[in-house]
Amino acid sequence: MRRRPSGSNSEEDGDQPTPIQPNSTPQELAIHGGEEKRRPADASPLGGAGHRGASIPTSRSPHRAAINNLRDWKAPEATTSAVDHGPNNSDGMNGRMHGEDMADLMKRRKNRLRSPWATSLSTLFATLVSALLVYAIVQSFLTRQLDPKGCVLSYMRPAFAKYNDFDTEHTRFASKYSLYLYREGGIDEDTRVKGIPVLFIPGNAGSYKQVRPLAAEAAEYFHNVLRHDENAIKDGKRTLDFFSVDFNEDITAFHGQTLLDQAEYLNEAIAFILKLYHDPNRSLREPGLPDPSSVMIIGHSMGGIVARTMLTMPNYQTNSINTIVTLSAPHGRAPVSFDADIIKTYARINKYWRDAHSQQWANKNPLWHVTLVSIAGGGLDTMVPSEYSSLASIVPPTHGFTVFTSSIPNVWTGMDHLAIMWCDQFRKSVIRALYDVADVRRPSQTQPRAERMRFFKKRFLTGMEDVSEKLLPQEEPRTLLTLEDNANAIVSQGERLVLRELGHARKPRAHLLPVPFQESNEGSKFTLLTNQPIDSNGPLEILFCSVFPLQSGQSSNLFSMNMDLSGDSTGSTRLACKNGAADVIPLPASTQDSKYPFDHMPAWSYLQYDLEDLAEHQFVAVVDKAREPTPGWVMAEFSTTSQSTIRTNVSLRSLVTSNLEIVLSGARPMVNNIKIPALYSGLLSYKVNIDKQSSSNDMELFSPLLRQYVSEPYESKYFVNVEDADVNIHGVAPFMPPPLQGISAAEGLSLQIWTDPTATSSLKISLKLDFIGSVGKLVMRYRTVSAAFPLLVVALVLRKQFIAYDATGIFMPFSEALDSCLKTSLPVLFVVLTFIATSLANSAQRARSATMNGSLDANRNATESALRFTQNDLLLGSQDPFFWFLVPLFGLISVGICVVVNYATLIITHVLAFAYSKIRAVSPKSNDGKRTPTAFAVTSLPQRVITTAFLVLLVSTVIPYQFAYMVLCIVQVATSTRALRLLWETRAAANYNFFNYAHSLLVLMLWVLPINLPVLVVWVHNLAVHWLTPFSSHHNILSVTPFILLVETLSTGRMIPRVTTRVRHITTTLFLLVAFYAAIYGVSYAYLLHHLANMLAAWLFAIHIGDSSFDFHRLSHILDEGGNGGTFTVGGRREKKRP
């Protein structure tokens, strides 16, 4: 028997196609003159059952249920199918259906339509629920748990000098990138270098001009302050020479090769910058100063990742970088995973940094002298999740840390992704920190690493963290305090000192608090809060004193300050004292008029010492130096840990059903800490209410001040005059690698509250879970899920369509297959994935506990380490089994998204088909009404061959395969449009199959398209800047050739043949594998989804050509051997085994 090609007329269309109404019910289609009788949708002709010599699948076939339904039908022998040809099989298929059975079956299938627009109540309900969920999530993201914005605009007078001589002799990227020097107009307009080099690296699509706020502040601060400070000049402080790089707004977040190109260019730029200081014609440095050997780096967004990459490049000059400050940089994880190079580059960079810091000896660590500070903007940054800025998995605390802008003293506000570059109060903190670590007397131009870390912590941390260093124990007594011998000046042991007014005695006076014995007060701490500045020039001074023996002549020799408060008293006490001004912690003012912590009010002064820090002292002297009444107050006390710290044992699950309530009695300390270890997830938000049971506002020195914080990363938020507060943290986040050490945010949320216990009898604090506010947190943490999970649904739908097509010969519409999957395979798969997600979360939780307990071996091998840092990449990356419901939640949302995309694609196709019918009058069919390749295809075979070959040539040389893929998507839209027009004209069942097949493949291709778009955008951008150097990783023709062949095949109108042998299991298995991969790895490695879809395209093309391919039949013969009694079936026809 001669085999017909899959697109031939005789196989699909029959001799005389009979019009079929697209929305006809299965009962309304009758057989006319040899055409197919219309059967119920699930009782369509069996693959091979109505053909000459066709075989029926055995009882073990997965299509047995469909066969049993078909046995109730009478298939007239004189009738041929519009899809398949051949006589009926004699396996019970020739009997007449009883009238009752027919009526019952027709009643059950009454509402089953074959129209692609048809849907069911279950699908409609799932779509509606999905829409409500998406609305709730977006609404919560936009309106709930929003941090206030407190940034002040900055101003500058910029001027840039371009280095045109940094040309192709120095770098191969000279035609694409440029190097600039910033100068502030009116202050420093000389373009010769004269100070300490600082290089600014812009981020993704960033501009070199973003350096203006920082560079302007550096110039102004040195010009107005430092150059007049002799001590600062003596300590090596000089102006900062800010350099910036114009990357032509390169897109680095989507493209790993671009990131590597920038790193290579910047290393060459640093070598050029350092040479400038050697050239006397281009340098104004003071004689005797060493030439710089390193450059400080400031990187914004992806610029911070480029900065870290520079140290891993072959052209990196050793020790040319030792200080890196990054702003909103995603260190822990790539923002998107659509490009293979960006994922591999991240893995390589992070591995290099981890391996370097795992070395036991400093001389083997190439990064030993490098300090890295990562600053995040917090919840206002909607471009990069701030959890990604964490360095906990990359560098140890001795070499770097992560801090949020809301924690930085005198900043106290979150910032969005761009505001972090121009926020006035923040840029002041950054520039002062850079000047703190600068030292022009050293070749490195900076302080040693330990000193740099100390200065950075002093500038950027609150001062209340465990790692904060107190300077008091390191100082020497410099003040001799002489007091009158009056016992009334000493506060009784255990009592609180409260001064409601300064200068009440109209003369300087000291109030002494005795330091408790350390043995009997283990865990005690000293706290002091005042609304006055604490320094030698203000009305208030805090001294930590010990009794000084009365020996003549020592006061003038040992002390730089002599404070005599004894008056005319004959008896006096002399105390040797240290000043605590260096350890003052600024706090936002909290009065009855306060609204935000960043309000323009003078900061308060707070001191906090552990009792161990005061071991050598006997008294704390609060010296009131005001000589007239001053509206200032002071509150100081010693308190024990048992009094001031409350550790709760509440679980996260208990918070779902009940609130956490804590009552602080009137005898409470001024400062209380509430630790809630169970609240460590960044996916949840909470509401805190503080209720003052009874209060006298007239007697209240200050309103309650609340600080929420986590220990790693260093994130603190302040709430002034607080009654109600929205609390959300950036703690343990999905997909983030585990920390190097076990001090992470697993310690949970802590609340620190300052209250005036003298004016309030008791205080009630309640905390509850904010459900609506929490769902908005899913947007930033799971944005890329929308690209992976819907592909899971599409893969299962296509699998269902091919199973039905191979069994019945009818390729059901996408909507019908989706409805079927919604009732069968999708719920099962979501349940399986939920169990997998729960198991992974339990494993991550155990690993986190082991890390915190120190049970993990620090010297584990590299393979174990690599696996540990990727353990959270799977599925939804959750590290807490509490979030098991996220899998079905995102699954349901993905179903709704697929429904919307399906109908949107149908609308577009119908609009284009209507327009196509008006523009092109020629029908895509032959004169006898059949769909043939010659009539359906727009171009001739030679033209298609030439076009395909030319496209492959372009992909291998000039254009990336992503561009070719986009073109293929457009071609597939055109194919679906012509298929729909043909269906309108003929109403033939074969054309109905072909349109559904073309449409479903179009939906699949459209879901893969967003994965390819970012790289395509990079390529177009490079063309715009005349950079034509190709990227080798994007010219692999195998990455798109199967799609080219498949789309070209469909463009000729060829329908894929049915496969009724065991070969069909390969198809269903491939779709199932794609679905599983999209769920488990799709979010972290989305770029591989394209390659999996490419494999599917290769297999489908193989089925297309397999209808006339000996090799395909041999595969079918091998897989089906022994199952068909010497025959095998492909496309509904039985063939003899070949020798």
Side-chain angles (χ1 to χ4, degrees):
M1 178 183 69
R2 182 177 64 87
R3 303 183 57 81
R4 301 184 181 94
S6 61
S8 65
N9 309 326
S10 55
E11 184 181 4
E12 291 186 349
D13 297 333
D15 296 331
Q16 298 295 330
T18 302
I20 301 174
Q21 299 300 325
N23 58 350
S24 300
T25 62
Q27 294 77 22
E28 293 171 342
L29 182 64
I31 297 177
H32 297 280
E35 290 296 312
E36 178 189 20
K37 279 190 176 181
R38 185 62 180 259
R39 300 174 173 88
D42 62 340
S44 301
L46 177 66
H51 293 200
R52 290 185 296 271
S55 62
I56 299 177
T58 65
S59 59
R60 295 182 181 181
S61 170
H63 310 301
R64 182 178 180 183
I67 298 173
N68 292 335
N69 288 337
L70 293 172
R71 288 175 178 171
D72 294 332
W73 287 89
K74 165 87 168 59
E77 296 189 16
T79 304
T80 58
S81 169
V83 179
D84 302 306
H85 293 270
N88 295 315
N89 192 282
S90 59
D91 188 17
M93 301 287 290
N94 296 326
R96 291 280 184 181
M97 173 179 279
H98 297 290
E100 311 84 61
D101 297 337
M102 169 72 82
D104 180 65
L105 187 59
M106 291 176 66
K107 182 178 179 180
R108 286 188 287 110
R109 303 304 179 191
K110 181 178 181 180
N111 296 322
R112 293 294 299 273
L113 307 180
R114 294 178 60 180
S115 169
W117 297 94
T119 187
S120 67
L121 290 177
S122 58
T123 303
L124 189 63
F125 177 75
T127 305
L128 180 61
V129 173
S130 173
L132 292 176
L133 288 173
V134 171
Y135 175 79
I137 291 173
V138 174
Q139 186 72 7
S140 172
F141 176 71
L142 296 176
T143 62
R144 303 296 291 265
Q145 291 283 337
L146 300 180
D147 294 338
K149 299 180 179 180
C151 278
V152 178
L153 286 173
S154 54
Y155 299 92
M156 69 290 298
R157 291 162 291 182
F160 290 93
K162 182 179 179 180
Y163 288 100
N164 293 313
D165 54 337
F166 186 47
D167 51 20
T168 53
E169 294 184 2
H170 300 86
T171 175
R172 64 189 180 100
F173 299 101
S175 62
K176 185 180 182 183
Y177 304 143
S178 304
L179 180 65
Y180 289 86
L181 173 67
Y182 180 90
R183 285 295 181 242
E184 180 69 4
I187 293 180
D188 184 8
E189 299 180 358
D190 194 331
T191 59
R192 289 176 292 181
V193 295
K194 58 180 69 68
I196 299 170
V198 180
L199 178 61
F200 170 73
I201 307 176
N204 180 62
S207 170
Y208 71 99
K209 296 180 180 179
Q210 289 177 298
V211 73
R212 293 174 298 181
L214 291 172
E217 174 62 25
E220 291 181 0
Y221 184 62
F222 181 81
H223 182 268
N224 298 331
V225 179
L226 291 182
R227 74 188 182 111
H228 305 293
D229 187 342
E230 294 182 0
N231 292 329
I233 297 299
K234 186 183 298 184
D235 290 339
K237 310 307 178 189
R238 297 295 188 274
T239 186
L240 301 179
D241 291 326
F242 264 89
F243 297 85
S244 185
V245 180
D246 182 9
F247 285 135
N248 277 308
E249 300 182 358
D250 253 348
I251 302 174
T252 50
F254 304 150
H255 200 244
Q257 186 59 49
T258 299
L259 189 150
L260 295 174
D261 290 348
Q262 290 186 1
E264 179 183 341
Y265 175 83
L266 288 170
N267 279 329
E268 292 159 347
I270 285 181
F272 178 82
I273 290 171
L274 294 177
K275 288 180 181 179
L276 293 176
Y277 291 85
H278 295 268
D279 188 350
N281 296 323
R282 312 182 77 167
S283 173
L284 280 178
R285 284 173 66 88
E286 304 169 23
L289 293 179
D291 293 325
S293 62
S294 68
V295 177
M296 289 192 284
I297 301 291
I298 295 182
H300 174 238
S301 187
M302 291 300 295
I305 309 305
V306 175
R308 288 179 48 225
T309 307
M310 294 167 63
L311 283 78
T312 70
M313 300 295 290
N315 67 336
Y316 170 65
Q317 184 176 326
T318 304
N319 295 329
S320 60
I321 299 173
N322 66 8
T323 303
I324 303 175
V325 178
T326 66
L327 314 177
S328 296
H331 292 287
R333 180 178 172 83
V336 292
S337 57
F338 294 164
D339 177 52
D341 287 344
I342 197 72
I343 300 300
K344 295 175 182 176
T345 300
Y346 256 85
R348 183 176 63 84
I349 297 169
N350 288 344
K351 183 179 185 302
Y352 178 87
W353 281 69
R354 289 169 186 145
D355 291 346
H357 287 302
S358 66
Q359 299 299 321
Q360 185 176 2
W361 304 105
N363 58 358
K364 294 185 178 181
N365 181 0
L367 305 177
W368 177 255
H369 298 290
V370 179
T371 54
L372 175 61
V373 177
S374 175
I375 305 176
L380 291 178
D381 189 346
T382 57
M383 295 188 66
V384 174
S386 289
E387 290 94 343
Y388 289 10
S389 298
S390 175
L391 299 174
S393 64
I394 300 171
V395 298
T398 54
H399 288 72
F401 60 88
T402 306
V403 65
F404 282 67
T405 57
S406 58
S407 304
I408 300 176
N410 297 306
V411 177
W412 298 322
T413 179
M415 300 171 195
D416 63 47
H417 200 68
L418 297 179
I420 201 170
M421 285 304 307
W422 55 258
C423 185
D424 185 60
Q425 57 266 51
F426 173 67
R427 68 168 182 162
K428 286 180 168 60
S429 295
V430 173
I431 293 304
R432 282 154 180 73
L434 292 183
Y435 275 118
D436 285 344
V437 302
D439 188 352
V440 76
R441 300 169 299 177
R442 298 172 175 269
S444 64
Q445 304 295 287
T446 60
Q447 301 277 356
R449 178 188 56 80
E451 289 297 304
R452 274 179 276 143
M453 287 297 298
R454 183 172 66 84
F455 281 121
F456 281 139
K457 290 177 181 178
K458 182 66 177 177
R459 284 289 181 184
F460 294 141
L461 300 186
T462 65
M464 292 174 278
E465 294 82 2
D466 293 336
V467 297
S468 297
E469 184 180 356
K470 299 298 183 182
L471 299 180
L472 184 69
Q474 305 172 15
E475 294 184 355
E476 295 295 331
R478 298 183 183 277
T479 302
L480 180 62
L481 179 62
T482 304
L483 304 175
E484 60 181 341
D485 216 358
N486 186 352
N488 293 328
I490 302 178
V491 179
S492 300
Q493 185 81 32
E495 290 189 3
R496 179 185 299 119
L497 171 65
V498 179
L499 301 180
R500 297 185 175 273
E501 184 183 47
L502 299 182
H504 181 72
R506 297 184 180 274
K507 66 176 182 178
R509 180 170 179 173
H511 304 268
L512 300 183
L513 283 81
V515 177
F517 293 107
Q518 186 173 350
E519 291 78 7
S520 59
N521 293 274
E522 186 176 356
S524 296
K525 65 173 52 179
F526 169 76
T527 56
L528 180 146
L529 181 65
T530 177
N531 63 346
Q532 298 295 311
I534 299 177
D535 53 44
S536 58
N537 299 322
L540 189 66
E541 199 164 348
I542 310 300
L543 303 175
F544 297 86
C545 308
S546 301
V547 175
F548 185 73
L550 293 175
Q551 296 180 9
S552 61
Q554 289 187 345
S555 61
S556 59
N557 296 331
L558 300 178
F559 302 99
S560 59
M561 178 176 290
N562 189 348
M563 188 179 297
D564 189 352
L565 305 181
S566 62
D568 298 330
S569 175
T570 56
S572 62
T573 302
R574 305 176 70 189
L575 301 175
C577 303
K578 299 179 181 180
N579 198 313
D583 291 327
V584 169
I585 299 170
L587 290 180
S590 181
T591 66
Q592 296 179 12
D593 299 326
S594 300
K595 187 175 182 181
Y596 299 114
F598 47 79
D599 288 339
H600 300 291
M601 298 178 62
W604 289 355
S605 301
Y606 177 65
L607 284 174
Q608 174 179 298
Y609 291 101
D610 290 332
L611 196 58
E612 293 81 358
D613 298 327
L614 306 180
E616 61 181 277
H617 304 290
Q618 296 170 314
F619 298 98
V620 178
V622 179
V623 183
D624 176 7
K625 298 187 294 183
R627 296 184 178 273
E628 58 183 21
T630 303
W633 52 264
V634 180
M635 185 175 293
E637 65 182 5
F638 282 92
S639 60
T640 62
T641 302
S642 59
Q643 293 173 325
S644 61
T645 302
I646 301 174
R647 180 175 293 272
T648 66
N649 295 321
V650 62
S651 67
L652 185 57
R653 289 172 176 79
S654 65
L655 273 181
V656 175
T657 56
S658 61
N659 300 341
L660 171 64
E661 295 185 350
I662 297 173
V663 177
L664 302 178
S665 67
R668 66 183 179 276
M670 174 184 64
V671 186
N672 291 271
N673 279 280
I674 303 172
K675 296 184 177 296
I676 317 174
L679 306 186
Y680 55 79
S681 174
L683 292 177
L684 298 176
S685 302
Y686 314 92
K687 285 188 174 294
V688 173
N689 174 262
I690 298 178
D691 182 20
K692 293 180 283 189
Q693 301 294 323
S694 62
S695 171
S696 175
N697 292 332
D698 296 336
M699 298 295 293
E700 193 176 48
L701 292 177
F702 59 94
S703 298
L705 172 64
L706 176 67
R707 170 188 171 231
Q708 64 152 87
Y709 67 95
V710 292
S711 58
E712 173 58 43
Y714 298 117
E715 180 187 22
S716 295
K717 291 182 185 177
Y718 294 94
F719 302 90
V720 297
N721 191 23
V722 62
E723 293 182 0
D724 296 289
D726 290 334
V727 174
N728 54 82
I729 63 174
H730 293 84
V732 176
F735 306 112
M736 285 297 292
L740 293 177
Q741 308 187 45
I743 59 168
S744 75
E747 294 184 7
L749 170 68
S750 296
L751 301 176
Q752 188 174 17
I753 182 169
W754 290 262
T755 59
D756 181 1
T758 64
T760 307
S761 60
S762 63
L763 203 69
K764 180 180 178 181
I765 302 175
S766 62
L767 181 144
K768 65 178 180 180
L769 185 63
D770 183 4
F771 293 97
I772 300 178
S774 297
V775 296
K777 302 301 175 185
L778 300 177
V779 174
M780 289 300 298
R781 280 73 173 185
Y782 288 111
R783 289 180 298 183
T784 53
V785 170
S786 59
F789 260 53
L791 192 60
L792 173 154
V793 179
V794 173
L796 288 183
V797 169
L798 279 164
R799 176 177 177 271
K800 181 66 177 179
Q801 288 177 303
F802 273 93
I803 289 177
Y805 176 62
D806 290 338
T808 67
I810 292 182
F811 204 96
M812 65 174 64
F814 187 92
S815 57
E816 184 180 349
L818 178 58
D819 176 59
S820 178
C821 290
L822 194 59
K823 299 174 181 176
T824 54
S825 56
L826 277 174
V828 174
L829 184 59
F830 288 150
V831 169
V832 172
L833 293 176
T834 300
F835 278 107
I836 295 176
T838 304
S839 176
L840 292 173
N842 284 324
S843 176
Q845 201 171 49
R846 287 192 297 268
R848 184 170 62 249
S849 300
T851 305
M852 290 192 64
N853 295 332
S855 59
L856 287 181
D857 183 9
N859 297 319
R860 56 187 175 276
N861 61 54
T863 302
E864 292 174 335
S865 177
L867 291 176
R868 191 173 80 89
F869 287 112
T870 59
Q871 66 184 15
N872 297 327
D873 287 349
L874 305 181
L875 245 171
L876 295 180
S878 175
Q879 304 177 44
D880 191 333
F882 175 82
F883 299 102
W884 63 268
F885 58 86
L886 289 180
V887 171
L889 174 69
F890 285 117
L892 184 58
I893 291 176
S894 299
V895 170
I897 294 175
C898 287
V899 171
V900 172
V901 170
N902 173 52
Y903 284 112
T905 307
L906 282 175
I907 292 173
I908 294 173
T909 306
H910 278 68
V911 171
L912 293 176
F914 177 79
Y916 180 67
S917 64
K918 299 298 182 182
I919 297 173
R920 182 180 175 90
V922 179
S923 176
K925 61 179 180 178
S926 59
N927 295 331
D928 57 357
K930 301 171 184 177
R931 187 182 76 253
T932 63
T934 303
F936 189 84
V938 177
T939 58
S940 63
L941 178 61
Q943 290 176 323
R944 296 196 300 274
V945 172
I946 294 174
T947 302
T948 303
F950 183 67
L951 183 61
V952 171
L953 178 63
L954 288 179
V955 169
S956 62
T957 56
V958 180
I959 66 174
Y961 71 79
Q962 289 86 354
F963 179 83
Y965 184 83
M966 185 186 69
V967 173
L968 293 175
C969 289
I970 297 174
V971 173
Q972 186 63 18
V973 171
T975 300
S976 298
T977 300
R978 298 200 308 276
L980 179 60
R981 182 189 173 187
L982 181 62
L983 179 61
W984 286 349
E985 293 182 358
T986 63
R987 306 294 183 182
N991 295 334
Y992 163 86
N993 283 348
F994 180 73
F995 169 72
N996 289 336
Y997 173 52
H999 171 76
S1000 296
L1001 284 184
L1002 175 61
V1003 173
L1004 173 65
M1005 294 178 68
L1006 291 179
W1007 275 119
V1008 179
L1009 181 61
I1011 300 173
N1012 295 283
L1013 285 180
V1015 174
L1016 184 59
V1017 171
V1018 174
W1019 178 71
V1020 172
H1021 175 268
N1022 285 338
L1023 290 181
V1025 298
H1026 308 292
W1027 183 256
L1028 304 179
T1029 303
F1031 300 120
S1032 59
S1033 58
H1034 303 311
H1035 295 279
N1036 183 1
I1037 59 175
L1038 296 179
S1039 297
V1040 76
T1041 299
F1043 272 116
I1044 294 176
L1045 297 175
L1046 180 62
V1047 171
E1048 173 60 29
T1049 302
L1050 265 70
S1051 69
T1052 63
R1054 298 179 185 274
M1055 179 61 186
I1056 190 169
R1058 294 168 56 201
V1059 180
T1060 56
T1061 64
R1062 295 182 182 178
V1063 174
R1064 68 184 182 272
H1065 298 312
I1066 299 179
T1067 306
T1068 57
T1069 302
L1070 284 176
F1071 280 116
L1072 197 60
L1073 288 176
V1074 171
F1076 265 103
Y1077 183 91
I1080 296 178
Y1081 292 98
V1083 179
S1084 298
Y1085 306 96
Y1087 67 92
L1088 284 177
L1089 295 177
H1090 169 90
H1091 300 293
L1092 287 177
N1094 193 50
M1095 293 173 55
L1096 278 176
W1099 175 248
L1100 296 180
F1101 176 72
I1103 296 178
H1104 271 283
I1105 65 174
D1107 197 32
S1108 57
S1109 170
F1110 174 79
D1111 291 339
F1112 186 80
H1113 294 313
R1114 173 167 292 183
L1115 174 63
S1116 175
H1117 172 68
I1118 293 174
L1119 293 177
D1120 225 26
E1121 186 174 5
N1124 285 326
T1127 64
F1128 64 93
T1129 307
V1130 176
R1133 290 181 295 276
R1134 177 187 299 164
E1135 297 290 338
K1136 292 289 185 180
K1137 287 186 178 180
R1138 305 190 183 191

